[in-house]
Amino acid sequence: MQQTATINEFVTQYITVIKTRLRSHAQLERHLKRIAKHFENRQIQAIKRNDVAQYAELRQAQGVTPASINIELAAFSAAINYARKRWEIELVNPVTGLFYPAKPGRLRYLEKDEAAQLLNRAKKLRSPYLPDFIELALNTGARKNELLQLQFKSVDLKRRILTIEGHTTKTGKRRYLPINRAAALVFDRRQAYREINCPASPWVFAKRDGKRIKYPENAFRIAVENAGITDFRVHDLRHTFASWLVSEGVELIKVRDLLGHSSIRMTERYAHLAPYRLHEAVSVLDGFYEQTELELG
C-alpha cells in the first residue's frame, strides 16, 4: 500500500485482508465502503480530523444514532491503525477523539408474573415453537441465533449439557450450558414434535417441513402485545435470564460464564439487582460493635 493511495484503494486492500481473518467482515465492509464513498477517492493521508467530524455530523443529521456512528468510526479507526502497524504507512489517525460518549446500556427484563403471562399468550398463538423458544431462552440465556441454529446433536440430555457451537456464537468460541429441568422438558417437546412432523430435520426449532425457523420476531411481538407487556424484545429474554440469576444470589462470574461474556465488565450491568449482597457484606462488622457495647456496658 502506497502513501498516496486513495481511500477507495485503501479500503479495498484492507477488506481483502480482513475477509480471511474476520468472521463478521460483511458489516465492517459495509461501514468502510460508506465512508469511502463519502470522501470520493481522496488520498487517505489527506483526510483530516475535521473531515471525519463533518462526516459524523452528516450521519447524525441523517438520523443515525450516536452509537451506530461510533461503530462506523471504529471500523475506520481500526483500518487506519492496521495500515500504520502492518503496512508501515505514516498516517495520523483522524478518528481519534471523535467518538460520541457512550450512554448506559438498555436493560429490560421481565418479572416472574410477566414471564408467565407472556408464555400463556404465546401458547394461544398458532405458532407451535414460540412457547418452547421463550422458555428455553429464559432457562439458558442463549442468544436468539444460538437457539435458532441449535441442532439435536448438540443436546445431551443424559449429561444435561447443551453445546453452543462456535460458528453460532458472538465470540466465535464454543461454550457449554447446563440444562435444567425446565429446559429438559422443552427439548422433550421439541423431540416429540420432530418425530411427528419432520423426523429427518437436525434443527431443534424447525417448521413442519423440517426447515430451520429463522425469524421469530413477528410471532414474539404479537405475544408480547397480547400479554400487555411494553418495550420488550427477543434479546431481552437473555437479560431476563441473567437478571433472575443475579437476583437469586448467583455470583456475577458464574453469570458471565453462562452468558459467554468475554469480560466481567459486560456482566456488571446486572450487579445492582443484588443490593442485599452488599448488606450481607457489611453486616459482618455488626459483631464488633455488639461486643464493644457489652464490654462498655
Side-chain angles (χ1 to χ4, degrees):
M1 175 63 64
Q2 297 180 351
Q3 191 79 24
T4 57
T6 66
I7 187 170
N8 294 67
E9 293 169 338
F10 170 76
V11 166
T12 298
Q13 185 163 340
Y14 178 70
I15 290 173
T16 301
V17 172
I18 64 169
K19 274 186 175 180
T20 62
R21 304 182 182 183
L22 190 63
R23 208 162 47 92
S24 56
H25 62 80
Q27 187 178 32
L28 188 61
E29 181 176 349
R30 188 165 61 251
H31 295 324
L32 291 174
K33 285 185 175 179
R34 180 182 293 114
I35 291 172
K37 183 178 180 181
H38 172 80
F39 288 114
E40 297 181 349
N41 246 336
R42 288 171 59 181
Q43 288 186 357
I44 187 67
Q45 64 178 356
I47 298 174
K48 305 302 181 184
R49 189 169 181 270
N50 186 56
D51 298 320
V52 178
Q54 289 179 5
Y55 169 80
E57 291 170 1
L58 173 64
R59 293 293 285 155
Q60 191 168 29
Q62 292 171 342
V64 182
T65 65
S68 295
I69 296 172
N70 280 348
I71 293 174
E72 295 179 12
L73 296 183
F76 190 34
S77 179
I80 294 289
N81 289 336
Y82 183 91
R84 293 171 63 190
K85 294 177 182 178
R86 301 298 294 272
W87 296 336
E88 298 183 347
I89 297 178
E90 294 183 9
L91 291 173
V92 175
N93 192 329
V95 183
T96 303
L98 293 180
F99 292 101
Y100 289 93
K103 294 183 179 180
R106 178 180 179 278
L107 181 59
R108 173 71 166 97
Y109 63 94
L110 296 179
E111 299 294 345
K112 296 288 180 66
D113 59 336
E114 289 181 304
Q117 180 68 358
L118 176 59
L119 278 169
N120 180 53
R121 292 297 180 176
K123 291 174 183 177
K124 294 181 179 181
L125 296 179
R126 296 180 61 183
S127 181
Y129 71 89
L130 186 60
D132 288 342
F133 175 83
I134 293 172
E135 197 161 354
L136 197 57
L138 289 174
N139 284 278
T140 64
R143 297 179 178 89
K144 179 189 72 173
N145 287 333
E146 292 173 347
L147 293 178
L148 295 180
Q149 296 184 61
L150 186 63
Q151 299 187 36
F152 280 102
K153 67 180 182 180
S154 298
V155 181
D156 188 341
L157 290 178
K158 185 175 181 180
R159 294 193 304 145
R160 293 292 182 95
I161 294 293
L162 176 63
T163 302
I164 305 295
E165 298 295 345
H167 70 275
T168 70
T169 68
K170 191 173 182 179
T171 62
K173 297 179 181 178
R174 176 186 295 170
R175 76 179 191 276
Y176 303 92
L177 299 177
I179 298 174
N180 63 8
R181 183 171 59 182
L185 291 174
V186 170
F187 286 123
D188 285 341
R189 291 195 296 269
R190 298 312 302 166
Q191 181 62 44
Y193 177 90
R194 176 198 192 194
E195 291 175 357
I196 295 173
N197 296 284
C198 48
S201 177
W203 309 109
V204 171
F205 290 101
K207 303 175 185 177
R208 293 185 186 278
D209 60 5
K211 295 181 179 179
R212 182 170 69 86
I213 293 169
K214 297 181 180 180
Y215 307 106
E217 284 83 0
N218 286 339
F220 182 82
R221 177 180 50 79
I222 294 172
V224 167
E225 291 175 353
N226 290 347
I229 297 171
T230 59
D231 187 31
F232 193 77
R233 310 165 188 167
V234 172
H235 189 73
D236 295 330
L237 295 170
R238 180 171 160 88
H239 290 320
T240 301
F241 165 82
S243 300
W244 287 358
L245 291 182
V246 174
S247 296
E248 292 297 327
V250 177
E251 298 173 10
L252 285 180
I253 195 166
K254 292 181 180 179
V255 178
R256 178 202 66 185
D257 292 342
L258 290 169
L259 293 175
H261 284 164
S262 57
S263 167
I264 191 66
R265 291 182 61 185
M266 300 176 67
T267 319
E268 286 175 347
R269 70 171 72 180
Y270 306 103
H272 70 284
L273 298 172
Y276 70 90
R277 306 292 289 182
L278 300 179
H279 287 288
E280 289 179 0
V282 298
S283 67
V284 301
L285 300 176
D286 289 341
F288 168 77
Y289 291 101
E290 292 170 359
Q291 182 64 33
T292 300
E293 290 174 358
L294 287 174
E295 291 176 354
L296 295 176

